[in-house]
Amino acid sequence: MARTSREASAADESQETLPLLKYDTFEPTRPLYSLDVRIDPAVEEKWIEDASPTKLRVADVQVMDWNHANTKGCSPRHRASVRKFSDFSDEGVDGEGLNILLDPYYDVTTGRMRRLFAFFTHDDNDLVTYDAFHHGLLALGIVCPEGADFDSFVSKVDTNQDQRISFPEFVQVVQMIKQAHLCKPEYRAQAAALPAVIRVVDYSALTIHTVDPVRKLESFMFSTKPTWAKVRWVHMAGISDLNDLHIRRLAIKYQLHPLAVEDCLKKSDIIRCKYEHYEDHSFLVVPVTRPVDEAKSRLIQNYIQQHRIQLFERDQALADGNEDGADDYTDLKPAALHDMLKNLHCLMRKPQQLCIFMARDNNVLSVQEDPDVDRNGDVSSCFQLWGAMYNDNMGKPYSKLRNHDAYFLVAAILNAIVDDMRPLIQVFEVKVAVLEALQVLEGTKFDTKLVSHAKKQLVALDKLIRPFLDLIEGPLSDQDHFQSGEVKNYVRDVKDHLKQMASNVKEYQAALLAIVADDQYTRAKAQADVSYTISVVAALFLPGTFMTGLYGMNFDNMPELHTQNGYYVWWVVFLSICTGMVSYLKYYRGWI
């Protein structure tokens, strides 16, 4: 059972207490477990400050100034140490200045941080003295303002007080300082104007903590996943531009690779499917499409349901031996069929891409291009991944999602995306049947543009399904995380659905080709019938033409010209010949 735990607020602040599993063999009507659900309103939104390897806190790094555009060069002694201790080849490091290591995506990946740390290393133990650390921060453009105590600052960085700074301590300091830089007042107004909505859920098997939406963004960026939580899912809906502030903050928080961030930020009409594995995270891009709005979705589901009922009734009629007992679309009037096709003319919205980052410690970040709420507050026309995953699955008293790790969440997201796409394929069974009936009813008046439009829709869907299927069968199938346990079953189910959808697309394309062929045959037959009718009429008048030409010569010695009833005799002879020809063609030759 679900409850809002205002009574347990003290326990939630520590985020350390797990609810106990309660069994009662004497009262089987009671639930076997209790689910602690907490959805924080804005006034109660709380975050746990990042449990870093240092003693630094947010207030300590906020006093530091960072100007990444005004970095200072390193001494030759530092450059020499780079050539000696860098994990990369000498050829790649010698010609690379420190400014090149800093890019507009605020790259804090482990590989990049290791190269930066190598600039300040003086000995073989990969530790940095306080003085070298100070010079390293200056080289990065990070300075301690006048009046601030740098010794106090660096002592908090050095957790074991060995007068040396280790690589994990260095990474944590750089992350926190860069994050603090993006939380300065000049960035707060920019963040408030962004249309994106960020939602966060921490969950374990029996506990779930949701913040929807996140309003204290700065506190969240410096927070960490609670120790009781198995998975943290961060969902961001809406990307503003290539310099999206939220993405830059998240890139620092989860050490996202610049190439992955670039793919996430660049909107394109060409939707790609890809999976990349980096040192700090994995990156997945999949296409997303859905019906135009909720009304269109209900209409599609209604058509599919009615079609299935019609097929069932037809099967029952055939089982009873009544071949004419079941109705089909040919029993409808063409106007009704045209109305159905008009309703199915525009099926889906423009596809967008969904980016999924699978970071360390079971952190999952998903980013969709468009917001899930439009300017008028309407959600019916937007992609509702959060609603599909949280409201319909994760937030229920029992959910398989909460009993598995982050990779199971990713598999469930893929399954939700495919489930949204399936009705768009299934409704083509209705559309093809309507087009077949309309072609039969209208004959030569059938408009083939309707078939062409349906073909274009299928091609657009095929461009989404084929790469998606290749992604599931290719890169994802090579990852151990997606090929073990229950995750494997869900990924296999997604693959089966995509295979069925791809097969259905081929079948519907073949059915549309058959409709075009039937239309061509109908038009050719109608044209042949017209030509045959004209030929028969011409053949019937051929004797009359001959007789007219014969007696039109007006010779004096032609006795029929002076017959008193010659005109009537001409018509009797002509009609007799026509009657004989029609009887010959119809009854003897069977051509009419």
Side-chain angles (χ1 to χ4, degrees), residues 541-561:
F541 279 93
L542 187 59
T545 303
F546 171 75
M547 294 171 61
T548 302
L550 176 63
Y551 290 106
M553 292 185 291
N554 296 324
F555 290 115
D556 292 337
N557 59 351
M558 295 179 68
E560 293 86 350
L561 293 178

Side-chain angles (χ1 to χ4, degrees), residues 12-38:
D12 289 336
E13 289 180 2
S14 64
Q15 302 291 326
E16 298 288 329
T17 303
L18 283 172
L20 297 178
L21 193 65
K22 299 178 182 179
Y23 292 94
D24 192 342
T25 58
F26 300 100
E27 299 182 23
T29 57
R30 294 178 59 187
L32 296 180
Y33 60 89
S34 61
L35 174 64
D36 183 17
V37 178
R38 188 177 110 197

Side-chain angles (χ1 to χ4, degrees), residues 275-299:
Y275 177 85
E276 298 288 346
H277 181 73
Y278 299 99
E279 182 178 2
D280 300 299
H281 64 90
S282 299
F283 178 59
L284 183 65
V285 181
V286 292
V288 172
T289 187
R290 65 183 308 274
V292 176
D293 51 29
E294 191 64 28
K296 182 70 70 174
S297 178
R298 291 193 298 266
L299 179 66

Side-chain angles (χ1 to χ4, degrees), residues 263-334:
D263 289 337
C264 179
L265 288 175
K266 284 188 176 180
K267 297 182 179 180
S268 174
D269 293 335
I270 301 176
I271 303 298
R272 297 178 298 171
C273 287
K274 64 180 299 184
Y275 177 85
E276 298 288 346
H277 181 73
Y278 299 99
E279 182 178 2
D280 300 299
H281 64 90
S282 299
F283 178 59
L284 183 65
V285 181
V286 292
V288 172
T289 187
R290 65 183 308 274
V292 176
D293 51 29
E294 191 64 28
K296 182 70 70 174
S297 178
R298 291 193 298 266
L299 179 66
I300 290 175
Q301 294 289 353
N302 185 40
Y303 279 154
I304 294 173
Q305 184 178 5
Q306 290 179 355
H307 183 73
R308 290 174 177 173
I309 294 174
Q310 188 181 90
L311 293 179
F312 176 78
E313 292 176 349
R314 183 182 302 173
D315 291 340
Q316 291 295 318
L318 292 176
D320 296 337
N322 183 11
E323 297 183 0
D324 300 329
D327 296 333
D328 55 16
Y329 293 105
T330 56
D331 296 328
L332 300 177
K333 294 182 178 180

